[in-house]
Amino acid sequence: EGQRTVLALGEEAQELKVREETTADILHVATHGLFLSEKFGPRNPMSRSGLAFVGAQTTLDKWARGESVEPSADGLLTAEEVGTMNLSNTELVVLSACDTGLGATENGEGVLGLRRGFVKSGARNLLFTLWPIDDSETVRFMTDFYRKLGSASPREALNKTQRDWLLRLKTEEGAVTAARLAGPFVLSSVGAP
């Protein structure tokens, strides 16, 4: 209701398109999350944690060969770049990708990764994952989540969705499968209320 929707698929899924987004009430990114080892060059964990868009694989291949790539066109939206975005008008960012909660732990700093980038961007709530997710099951999970979000806060919608999924899957497929499919999603309030 009154929310602006921008859809970018395939070749339109450009890093720059997401980086320039400042008016979305909800920003949902369904792509690949990554946390690179230091062998790829950047020592800063905020530069090694990110989301992959068109051109990311080319960049990773070049880095593996020791070649440099222009950061503004590398297809990787790093946590450091996310931190420069203005998402203060964004109620919810959803990262339905594998391992989007990963980062490096630094003494006195906590975990440096995408979550820290979204804190800096000003987004109010961030839904991220703690381990690899199943693509087809995640589509169904997110559909249920958004149905519940229509009449609930992001936290309530996630709690209800996870509870429903855990109960159903535990009966149908066992507790381990239930936890694997419904458990990786975490909601964190990261910005101003």
Side-chain angles (χ1 to χ4, degrees):
E1 172 183 319
Q3 293 181 335
R4 183 174 162 276
T5 302
V6 176
L7 182 63
L9 302 171
E11 291 299 313
E12 293 180 6
Q14 301 283 332
E15 168 194 1
L16 189 58
K17 187 171 193 154
V18 173
R19 199 175 342 160
E20 292 178 343
E21 184 55 57
T22 62
T23 61
D25 296 311
I26 297 173
L27 177 62
H28 185 116
V29 180
T31 185
H32 297 285
L34 47 94
F35 186 75
L36 303 171
S37 71
E38 287 186 27
K39 77 175 185 173
F40 281 97
R43 297 190 65 77
N44 178 356
M46 297 292 284
S47 297
R48 292 184 287 132
S49 177
L51 300 166
F53 292 93
V54 172
Q57 188 59 56
T58 301
T59 295
L60 294 174
D61 293 344
K62 287 183 177 184
W63 284 353
R65 295 189 302 266
E67 299 173 26
S68 63
V69 178
E70 174 59 39
S72 64
D74 62 7
L76 296 169
L77 180 60
T78 67
E80 187 171 43
E81 292 168 330
V82 166
T84 67
M85 294 171 63
N86 179 4
L87 295 175
S88 59
N89 294 319
T90 303
E91 177 65 27
L92 174 64
V93 174
V94 176
L95 304 177
S96 61
C98 296
D99 302 321
T100 53
L102 296 182
T105 305
E106 299 284 332
N107 287 339
E109 293 291 330
V111 177
L112 298 178
L114 283 168
R115 184 180 178 283
R116 176 67 60 95
F118 282 102
V119 166
K120 287 183 173 184
S121 77
R124 292 183 190 105
N125 295 284
L126 175 64
L127 182 79
F128 58 94
T129 61
L130 296 177
W131 57 77
I133 57 176
D134 178 274
D135 289 341
S136 61
E137 291 296 327
T138 298
V139 169
R140 289 189 279 280
F141 186 93
M142 285 293 132
T143 300
D144 287 352
F145 169 75
Y146 280 113
R147 281 190 189 121
K148 289 172 178 56
L149 186 61
S151 62
S153 71
R155 182 164 311 285
E156 293 166 334
L158 181 61
N159 288 343
K160 289 176 184 178
T161 304
Q162 284 182 313
R163 182 195 63 224
D164 292 350
W165 273 62
L166 287 167
L167 291 172
R168 180 181 57 81
L169 288 170
K170 183 178 177 191
T171 301
E172 293 174 3
E173 302 186 39
V176 172
T177 298
R180 182 179 57 81
L181 295 176
F185 303 97
V186 175
L187 185 93
S188 176
S189 296
V190 296

